[in-house]
């Protein structure tokens, strides 16, 4: 392999891929959400544009491209424009640290299926997902309108509250794996033979529910309760700026699903590694398993949305402070104790 | 006991799984959507579609140009003139103008018609692109089906 390919083409290709991959997942996700929610409500959902309506998100995006970009006269121009970019940027950047599978050997070249492997990858992802809070609050404040401001405040309170149980449950995984490196965490699960989701079900459940709340999804979608409020913090946004918020929300869902899969369900590992009769499962490459797993969790997102009614704001805050924080603290203590004794 | 049971149900997410089960069952249930151009839902028997004039079995028009409908109409949809031919027993309309854009489908004309010449049809496809298609003269009042669609769509260039 020539150095040009190895040092220019492949890195550039990876950068393109890391932008395309969440975008494609967002498109699939929007379609999946509309179809699945419709089917669960006894309807059919969009099935005309393209095969089974697969091109519906594309049509939506084209529509949004041609929409007028409206800005409030007294809006803070700089913050108003920068906040959708901030939200989108933090969602996309986090995907650089998400490993999609084992490295592939191309001749003598070692093609890694991640852009950056960092010993504190988990910390970086958590930090980046917190940056999107700034985008939300800037957007809500810069709109110079009361409803976006209230929506932004609600959103920030919610996201910050639910970050505590997320941090505490992630710590249990870090404790058991003794690493913050996502690749290393998956390798530890491979070595120990049991996925951490089965080892620490409490951590998984708390992380997953908090993850739903963190992405402002139903039943915790209070900041933008579609059926009650206008749109929450992005009320004043239109056209592609609105689409940025929208896509960032979906990209964030893909990110949380990826994190759940990597931390608790063995990332790219095939299931049942010790059962000899099922060894044919290893024939599929790792990232296929990874995709299957995250598709399951994305489906679960939609499934939960179609099932449960929205929380009231006080119950939402009560749930996290009176149940999840103590529960994850106890869980953390239990895991720490177990790790110390074993 | 029941409080403990409820707590355990909540703690082990049993009620959440139950809820997910309900939606999963609905996911595979029969869908109520009617895919319109391919599947057409029959309107109800008493559906008030576009007003049409009718003829008797012999092909003679039923309308006797009594103008009862014109007087009953609240929105002045009708402009009717009748004429009695030499030797004929009843009057026949020579002019029967009707404006769909004014009609509110109240049905007073249908109730008042002594010969049941004017009746509601069950046609619900009433769109066109101009006002021309919404104006009906005497022969147009007998159109139905695709001929009616063509009349409604007068002036729009629709691929045939």
């Amino acid at each position: 392999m020539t150095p040009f390919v190895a040092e220019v083409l492949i890195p550039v290709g990876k950068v393109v891929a890391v932008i395309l991959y969440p975008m494609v997942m967002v498109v699939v996700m929007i379609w999946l959400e509309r179809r699945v929610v419709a089917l669960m409500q006894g309807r059919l959902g969009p099935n005309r544009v393209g095969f089974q309506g697969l091109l519906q998100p594309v049509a939506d995006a084209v529509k949004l491209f041609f929409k007028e970009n409206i800005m409030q006269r007294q809006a803070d121009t700089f913050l108003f424009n920068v906040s959708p970019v901030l939200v989108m940027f933090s969602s996309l950047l986090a995907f650089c640290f998400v490993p999609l599978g084992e490295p592939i050997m191309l001749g003598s070249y070692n093609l890694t299926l991640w852009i950056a492997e960092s010993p504190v990858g988990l910390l970086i992802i958590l930090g980046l997902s917190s940056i999107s809070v700034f985008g939300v609050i800037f957007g809500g404040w810069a709109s110079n309108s009361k409803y976006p401001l209230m929506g932004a405040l609600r959103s920030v309170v919610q996201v910050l509250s639910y970050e505590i149980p997320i941090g505490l449950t992630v710590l249990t995984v870090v404790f058991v794996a003794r690493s913050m490196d996502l690749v290393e965490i998956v390798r530890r699960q491979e070595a120990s033979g049991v996925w951490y989701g089965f080892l620490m079900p409490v951590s998984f459940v708390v992380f997953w529910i908090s993850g739903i709340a963190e992405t402002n999804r139903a039943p915790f979608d209070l900041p933008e309760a579609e059926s009650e409020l206008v749109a929450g913090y992005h009320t004043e946004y239109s056209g592609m700026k609105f689409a940025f918020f929208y896509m960032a929300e979906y990209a964030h869902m893909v990110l949380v699903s990826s994190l759940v899969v990597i931390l608790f369900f063995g990332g790219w590992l095939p299931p049942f590694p010790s059962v000899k009769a099922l060894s044919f499962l290893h024939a599929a490459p790792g990232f296929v398993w990874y995709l299957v797993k995250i598709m399951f969790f994305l489906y679960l997102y939609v499934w939960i949305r179609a099932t449960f009614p929205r929380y009231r704001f006080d119950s939402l805050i009560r749930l996290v402070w009176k149940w999840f924080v103590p529960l994850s603290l106890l869980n953390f203590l239990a895991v720490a104790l177990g790790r110390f004794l074993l | 006991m029941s409080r403990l049971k409820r707590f355990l149900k909540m703690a082990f997410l049993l009620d959440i799984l139950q809820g997910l089960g309900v939606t999963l069952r609905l996911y595979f249930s029969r869908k109520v959507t009617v895919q319109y151009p391919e599947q057409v839902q029959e309107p109800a028997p008493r559906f008030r579609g576009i007003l049409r004039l009718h003829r008797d079995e012999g092909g003679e028009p039923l309308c006797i140009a009594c103008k009862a409908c014109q007087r009953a109409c609240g929105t002045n949809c009708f402009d009717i003139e009748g004429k009695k031919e030499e030797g004929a027993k009843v009057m026949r309309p020579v002019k029967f103008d009707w404006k769909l854009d004014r009609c509110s489908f109240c049905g007073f004309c249908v109730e008042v018609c002594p010969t049941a010449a004017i009746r509601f049809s069950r046609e619900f496809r009433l769109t066109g692109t101009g006002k021309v298609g919404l104006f009906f003269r005497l022969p147009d009042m007998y159109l139905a089906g695709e001929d009616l669609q063509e009349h409604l769509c007068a002036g729009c260039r629709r691929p045939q």
Side-chain angles (χ1 to χ4, degrees):
Chain A
M1 195 170 289
T2 59
F4 175 73
V5 172
E7 277 158 32
V8 179
L9 275 189
I10 288 182
V12 167
K14 276 199 205 171
V15 169
V16 171
V18 94
I19 294 170
L20 274 184
Y21 157 66
M23 288 291 117
V24 169
M25 289 306 284
V26 164
V27 167
V28 171
M29 196 50 210
I30 292 174
W31 171 79
L32 188 82
E33 169 154 39
R34 293 183 65 175
R35 279 314 295 266
V36 170
V37 168
L39 290 171
M40 285 181 175
Q41 292 169 346
R43 301 182 285 120
L44 286 174
N47 62 352
R48 294 298 167 102
V49 192
F51 173 72
Q52 287 293 312
L54 258 173
L55 293 180
Q56 186 70 43
V58 180
D60 292 346
V62 170
K63 184 198 81 172
L64 284 170
F65 259 116
F66 289 103
K67 285 251 170 177
E68 187 187 352
N69 235 330
I70 301 166
M71 198 188 292
Q72 287 268 80
R73 193 178 302 148
Q74 285 163 324
D76 187 313
T77 318
F78 175 70
L79 284 183
F80 189 84
N81 287 330
V82 90
S83 62
V85 180
L86 205 58
V87 172
M88 193 72 181
F89 153 83
S90 62
S91 284
L92 287 186
L93 192 62
F95 278 96
C96 297
F97 299 93
V98 175
L100 301 184
E102 281 287 353
I104 300 169
M105 293 302 285
L106 294 174
S108 62
Y109 183 78
N110 191 10
L111 178 69
T112 53
L113 295 186
W114 54 82
I115 284 199
E117 186 185 359
S118 158
V120 287
L122 197 49
L123 211 56
I124 293 174
I125 288 183
L126 289 180
L128 283 171
S129 77
S130 301
I131 284 182
S132 67
V133 172
F134 286 103
V136 168
I137 199 153
F138 287 166
W141 184 78
S143 301
N144 193 27
S145 167
K146 50 186 174 262
Y147 297 115
L149 185 59
M150 294 312 288
L153 290 179
R154 287 172 137 210
S155 180
V156 170
V157 167
Q158 181 178 338
V159 171
L160 290 185
S161 301
Y162 275 90
E163 239 160 46
I164 298 165
I166 284 191
L168 285 171
T169 48
V170 159
L171 265 186
T172 61
V173 172
V174 174
F175 255 46
V176 175
R178 297 213 163 147
S179 171
M180 276 196 165
D181 185 340
L182 290 167
V183 182
E184 193 60 31
I185 288 173
V186 176
R187 293 216 171 108
R188 286 289 161 86
Q189 293 184 65
E190 191 174 20
S192 70
V194 57
W195 295 347
Y196 292 156
F198 300 110
L199 200 65
M200 302 177 288
V202 178
S203 293
F204 158 62
V205 170
V206 171
F207 182 87
W208 175 241
I209 296 177
S210 305
I212 296 174
E214 166 105 357
T215 41
N216 293 335
R217 288 282 303 176
F220 307 108
D221 56 345
L222 286 128
E224 46 180 317
E226 292 157 318
S227 43
E228 290 149 25
L229 309 177
V230 185
Y233 53 85
H234 51 57
T235 304
E236 302 290 349
Y237 282 88
S238 62
M240 270 326 270
K241 286 183 204 158
F242 167 73
F244 259 44
F245 276 119
Y246 201 73
M247 287 191 290
E249 187 191 321
Y250 281 84
H252 208 146
M253 282 161 64
V254 178
L255 181 67
V256 168
S257 301
S258 306
L259 274 184
V260 167
V261 166
I262 288 167
L263 296 181
F264 295 104
F265 289 95
W268 58 81
L269 305 176
F272 311 113
S274 51
V275 184
K276 283 280 175 294
L278 291 170
S279 58
F280 64 88
L281 292 174
H282 295 248
F287 61 87
V288 172
W289 283 114
Y290 168 81
L291 277 181
V292 166
K293 287 175 190 170
I294 76 161
M295 280 322 285
F296 172 77
F297 282 102
L298 290 173
Y299 186 88
L300 198 58
Y301 254 120
V302 178
W303 193 359
I304 286 170
R305 182 198 151 160
T307 307
F308 298 112
R310 188 174 299 120
Y311 265 71
R312 231 174 37 229
F313 200 72
D314 58 325
S315 350
L316 177 93
I317 297 301
R318 191 174 59 218
L319 180 72
V320 58
W321 287 106
K322 285 181 83 173
W323 292 101
F324 279 3
V325 171
L327 182 64
S328 49
L329 271 172
L330 281 179
N331 178 49
F332 177 62
L333 280 178
V335 170
L337 206 63
R339 192 78 187 97
F340 177 68
L341 293 177
L342 304 177
Chain B
M1 180 60 206
S2 74
R3 273 192 73 178
L4 180 71
K5 233 167 129 181
R6 261 180 57 199
F7 175 77
L8 287 178
K9 238 180 137 180
M10 191 193 76
F12 287 95
L13 305 177
L14 289 182
D15 39 3
I16 287 185
L17 292 177
Q18 200 182 348
L20 290 175
V22 170
T23 34
L24 191 66
R25 212 163 43 245
L26 278 166
Y27 184 78
F28 297 106
S29 66
R30 248 197 56 167
K31 304 296 173 260
V32 295
T33 307
V34 178
Q35 306 222 52
Y36 170 59
E38 292 90 27
Q39 308 168 345
V40 180
Q41 205 172 22
E42 266 298 297
R46 289 176 61 186
F47 180 77
R48 294 178 174 189
I50 189 171
L51 286 167
R52 295 288 77 188
L53 282 181
H54 290 261
R55 300 174 203 271
D56 64 5
E57 294 84 28
E60 274 292 299
L62 284 168
C63 181
I64 53 173
C66 66
K67 298 193 188 176
C69 45
Q70 188 173 337
R71 276 191 299 278
C73 185
T75 50
N76 282 331
C77 297
F78 296 96
D79 185 4
I80 305 170
E81 270 167 34
K83 195 181 166 196
K84 197 165 173 178
E85 295 287 331
E86 283 297 315
K89 276 185 181 165
V90 288
M91 282 216 292
R92 290 292 171 216
V94 288
K95 179 185 179 193
F96 194 105
D97 292 351
W98 180 68
K99 302 178 193 78
L100 174 57
D101 49 343
R102 282 178 159 245
C103 181
S104 64
F105 297 83
C106 67
F108 284 177
C109 49
V110 178
E111 276 178 37
V112 88
C113 186
T115 57
I118 192 159
R119 290 176 225 159
F120 280 121
S121 68
R122 291 166 74 189
E123 181 60 76
F124 55 87
R125 298 173 294 165
L126 305 179
T127 49
T129 50
K131 261 190 151 181
V132 198
L134 305 177
F135 184 75
F136 289 79
R137 292 179 197 288
L138 180 57
D140 307 328
M141 287 303 286
Y142 293 101
L143 296 178
E146 281 312 304
D147 297 335
L148 175 61
Q149 290 308 310
E150 222 160 279
H151 177 83
L152 283 165
C153 206
C156 58
R157 260 174 277 137
R158 185 170 61 165
Q160 291 300 315

